[in-house]
Structure formats: C-alpha cells, structure tokens
Amino acid sequence: MTETYLSLRRLENKVISELTHGQTSVAFDDLDISPIKVSLDQFYGLEINDFAVSVAGTALWIAELQANLETEMIVTRTIESLPLSEGSRIIQGNALQTEWSEVLPPEECDYIIGNPPFLGARNQSAAQKAEIKTAFEAIGATRNLGNIDYVAAWYAKAVTYMSDHKIRAAFVSTNSICQGAQVANIWHPIYEHGIRIDFAHDTFRWANESNDPAAVYCVIVGFSKLGGQKTLYHYPDINGEPEVSHPERINAYLKDAPQVFVWNRNKPLSAVPEMGIGNKPIDGGNYLFTPAEKEEFLALEPAAEKFFHRWHGSQEFIKGIERWVLWLGEATPTELRAMPHALERVHKVRELRLASKSAPTQKLATTPTRFHVENLPKGNSLLMPKVSSERRRYIPVGMVGPNDFCSDLVFLVPDASYFHFGVLQSRLHNAWMQSVAGRLEGRFRYSAGIVYNNFVWPQVTRDQECEIAERAQAVLDAREVYSDATIAQMYDPDHEWLYPELTAAHQALDAAVEQAYEIEPGEDEKVIVERLFQLYAKAINGLR
C-alpha cells in the first residue's frame, strides 16, 4: 500500500510540474486550494498482524511527508500533512473472514490491490481450507475446492465484493493459479460472474534482496467486469524484462486465445494410446543399481543377469545417468532359492514393507518381488519426463523398448508409434504444454490428465502420418549422431548450435506437424496456441 501511495504521488507531482509550464511556482494559494488530490484517506487496508498494522500506518505517514516535500519543491509552498493518528485506515483482521464492505462500501471503491499469502493445498490448515471453501461457495463454486491455492480465495472474495460495482482488482499471486488443473477450478466460477482479465504479467521470478534470496514464481492478474484495452506482459525469460502486447483477449491461462477451461480428463480426447506412469518399486533401493554395483552383484550372483533391466527416470533419461533395476517379479521359487544374494534383497524389501505405517504398503509385503506400481509394456513406449526445464525449446521425449523399465518420475505411452513420438516431440505440442501445464518453480510439470488427454491430435492422411513418422525417426537418428552427449546437453538452448543435425531434424519435424494442423510452418507461436485452443473448444463442444 505504501508503494502504491508513493507511486501515485509521484505521478501527481509530474502532473503538477507540467501545470507550471516551466514556471517556478503555481499560485494555488491565490485559489485557496491544495494542489494535492491523492490523500491517505483514500486508502483502506486489511492486515491480519497487529504489529504490521502499526508499521504500515507509520510507513504511510512517512511516505506522505516524503511526497509532500517533493510537492513543496514544485509549488514553493508548505503542504500541511495529516496527523499520524488520522493518516491510516488499515484495519486489523483476517481478510477472508472480514466483510470487506464494513471496511469500505463497494460503491465507494475504485480499485482492489494486494499481495495475498501463497500457500499450496498440501500446506494449508483445516481452517484455511474452510476459508477457501466459504469464499468459493459464495460465488457458486463446488468443484475441486480442496485443490486450490490459498491466494485464490482472495479472488473469490473480490468477486463477491465487486458484484456489479465499477471496481477493478489486481493481485500478485503464485503462478499456479493460472496453470494446470487449478485454472478451471478457480477461474470457471469467476468467469461465470462476468469477470474477465484486464491485464496480466505471466510467470516471472520474484526474488528478495537478502544474501540468500528465495525465488518465488509469480503472476499478476488484473480483472473486472469493466472491459477496456487488454495488456499482457509476457516474460520469455522469467528472470528478464517482459514483452508488452495489447491482445483482444486474455484467457485464464494468460494467453491470447479462446476463453475455454481445460479440465482434468481420465481418457484422451483423441483416439491415441493412453498415457500412464512408470513403475514405483517401494523397495528401499534394494532393487536399483549403478553400473559398478550391478557388476559387483553379478560377480556374486551371475544367474541374476537375465533379471536386470535398464532403468529410466527423468534424471536418468535427461542427464544420461546409467542405472539398472533387478526385476524378480516373474522369477520362480526355484530360481530365487538358487540366487541367495538376490533372495536376501527380497527379504529386505519384505521387511521394509512390513515395517511401514501404511496398511497398503504392509499388504505389499506378501509379494515382495513385485513393484507397488507396475507398468511393463510388451512393445515400444514413449517416455515423457514429468518435469523439464523452462529453458528448453521442447520437453525431450524418449522411446524405449520392452526390456527397458521406467520409474514413476516419467510418463509412459505404451504401444506408441513414431507418428505419436513425432507429434509429441513437436514445437506445436510444446506450445500446448506451456499453455496449460503446471509448473514446479519455473520448470514445466507435464501431466496426463491436463496436457496429454486434452491435446487434440491432427486428422491426418496416410501420407501425412508417414511423413511425420519419418521426420520423428530422423530426430532419433540425429540424437545417435551425438551419442556422446546427453539429452540435457543436446537440448540446452545456449549450445544447440553445436548439434546442427538435430536442429535441422527438429525443424523438419515441426514443419510436418504444423502442416498437418493446417498451420503455415514456422508460424508465430501465438497463432499455434490460438489454433490449439480453438480445436480444443470444438472437441469438447462436440462431447456435449
């Protein structure tokens, strides 16, 4: 609030300075009026901490003195300041439990601004969850209220307060409210009240100035029923300066695209293989091996060699880390008894599970050679890391055979073709992912329910399908050209010029996929995103 007051006073002082027309003073004394129209009595606030209320009141009073001194230098007259006791209208109270109309009647309010607390669903107390539920039920929302960030309750509270009054609101928020599954949960009921986004800063990194700064990934969203010019501040680099545009619309994903909501879906919209997670052993590390550990183990237990499989998690795939898993799920009792060192590890897994406080995990002790979650496709599968750096042009997709096992830190698409690989590895699919996926800090967090299942695949001819498959194979072949480099190295945007064959293969694949969507190859990403949201809107309307 203090910074807002100072900023408005600086703007007002600029206006007053312009009114002098180069003179050294303005004759406001002769008119018996004050040159200052921005006053502390126009600012109202809610703060839950009593000490912070006192500090804010003092800070505002000091800010007024500072601003008045600047004004005095322009108008060459003394500006009377309000007494400290009368200069603050900040009320102590819980903003979600206080009726805002008791602080300031909505018909007298013009703007609501704030920086509410960020608190994810897993970190909320029962009381805070109840506050969210109350705020959203007040605007008619009943769906998925237990999976909403705490900051979102201020948006719902603002909608109730604003009603049909001419008020604009804006909050600094965690970026999660405009990403992933939360978008539909939060913004659909808000939009039902006629609210639209007026301006927004998409994801940027906000760090404090301490010696050990903690980065917070934020958005700023301004909203109202009043319409007017839209302004979007887009951060290509979340640590850099924004690109400013004035689109005709800004949807809840902070994109210039149709106003639709992507709900979590259990099955794909299109006729494609389903996506699932990899394997979750719950083995205490007893079945996982580094190359050296595997070699040492096989020296003791050579019969176990046929039970080893290459193990791929997100880090293993992206950073080229070699790991192995010992899979004994289909080993016979005779085979197990013939491998005492392997059987010893089975006993350790059994004891680990029996010692768990979780009843389902204890039950798994009856089958200690098997994983908690098993996904063992018989054919080729696509591997999609659950989390990938926002710096990359693409989330790297892998293809693994039936002898390779994957962890639950990646998604798997079983029985996938090179065509499926090509579409998912394209710039077009990446644009969809960046628009609707959640984030972990600044990194993108892929999901089956939001990203994959709601992605609308192209209607292709046989020739188009074959071309995309060929271009996909060329990407995999180009990776093999640089087999001494990791995926992380090949897809580092600062060094992609070192891998020209891979860059060229991706460009050719992108062109083939974009043509399948009737998009001019190389078209601006904004056009791609708009097209994908249009296709999604058409697809879900066809289901109704």
Side-chain angles (χ1 to χ4, degrees), residues 402-421:
N403 290 324
D404 290 348
F405 284 18
C406 294
S407 82
D408 64 333
L409 294 179
V410 300
F411 290 108
L412 285 181
V413 181
D415 303 318
S417 67
Y418 288 108
F419 167 73
H420 297 123
F421 173 90

Side-chain angles (χ1 to χ4, degrees), residues 78-95:
T78 300
I79 304 296
E80 182 179 351
S81 299
L82 290 171
L84 176 59
S85 60
E86 298 178 11
S88 172
R89 296 174 183 264
I90 301 174
I91 309 301
Q92 181 189 352
N94 184 322

Side-chain angles (χ1 to χ4, degrees), residues 202 232 234 247 249-259 431 434-436 525 529 533:
D202 65 16
L232 178 61
H234 169 59
R249 65 206 163 175
I250 303 174
N251 70 10
Y253 299 88
L254 308 187
K255 300 292 183 182
D256 177 9
Q259 305 283 8
Q434 290 181 350
S435 298
V436 302
E525 189 171 297
V529 170
F533 271 101

Side-chain angles (χ1 to χ4, degrees), residues 184-203:
N185 299 338
I186 294 168
W187 287 98
H188 183 265
I190 290 175
Y191 269 50
E192 288 291 290
H193 285 261
I195 295 292
R196 294 296 181 268
I197 294 174
D198 298 329
F199 75 91
H201 290 252
D202 65 16
T203 297

